[in-house]
């Protein structure tokens, strides 16, 4: 659908697609599935973050045994927070593009 879309549009479409592939029929993720998704699909961004208090808070929240599920909006907020605190983001910012 986004074959002619911008790089940013394609990136967000990919996030939505990956989320939907993990989500239940109601379009939500359990906390355990959210943690698994982040660890398998976003591991380069979260690698090395284990000692950061905000990371520990997020993972602790995902480890809680609760029936509350995570919707796409909450997932995106978590993804943004993890991205902003990631060491990889700084490396990306330091890269020069060829465009």
């Amino acid at each position: 659908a986004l074959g002619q879309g911008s790089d940013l549009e394609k990136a967000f479409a990919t996030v939505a697609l990956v989320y939907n592939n993990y989500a239940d029929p109601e379009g939500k993720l359990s906390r355990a599935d959210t943690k698994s998704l982040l660890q398998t699909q976003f591991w380069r961004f979260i690698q090395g973050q284990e000692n950061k208090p905000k990371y520990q808070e997020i993972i602790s929240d995902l480890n809680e045994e609760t029936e509350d599920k995570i919707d796409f909006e909450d997932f995106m907020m978590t993804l943004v927070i993890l991205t902003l605190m990631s060491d990889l983001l700084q490396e990306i910012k330091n890269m020069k593009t060829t465009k």
Side-chain angles (χ1 to χ4, degrees):
L2 285 176
Q4 299 299 316
S6 70
D7 290 344
L8 190 57
E9 289 170 326
K10 290 176 186 175
F12 272 89
T14 300
V15 171
L17 180 63
V18 170
Y19 176 89
N20 286 336
N21 285 337
Y22 276 76
D24 65 17
E26 297 162 358
K28 295 186 177 186
L29 292 174
S30 70
R31 292 176 183 282
D33 287 341
T34 301
K35 183 177 175 183
S36 175
L37 170 58
L38 292 170
Q39 291 174 330
T40 59
Q41 296 288 324
F42 209 61
W43 67 272
R44 285 182 179 89
F45 275 88
I46 61 176
Q47 184 177 359
Q49 306 308 305
E50 298 83 8
N51 293 326
K52 293 184 178 179
K54 187 63 178 176
Y55 176 84
Q56 292 173 350
E57 178 184 330
I58 290 168
I59 294 303
S60 176
D61 184 51
L62 294 176
N63 285 334
E64 287 183 15
E65 295 294 329
T66 177
E67 293 300 316
D68 293 340
K69 292 194 175 183
I70 296 174
D71 61 17
F72 184 69
E73 291 81 9
D74 289 337
F75 177 76
M76 288 300 293
M77 294 296 289
T78 301
L79 207 57
V80 168
I81 291 167
L82 290 172
T83 300
L84 291 173
M85 62 186 264
S86 173
D87 297 332
L88 183 58
L89 180 62
Q90 191 57 47
E91 289 180 38
I92 292 168
K93 286 181 177 181
N94 291 335
M95 292 177 63
K96 300 284 184 194
T97 62
T98 57
K99 292 183 179 182

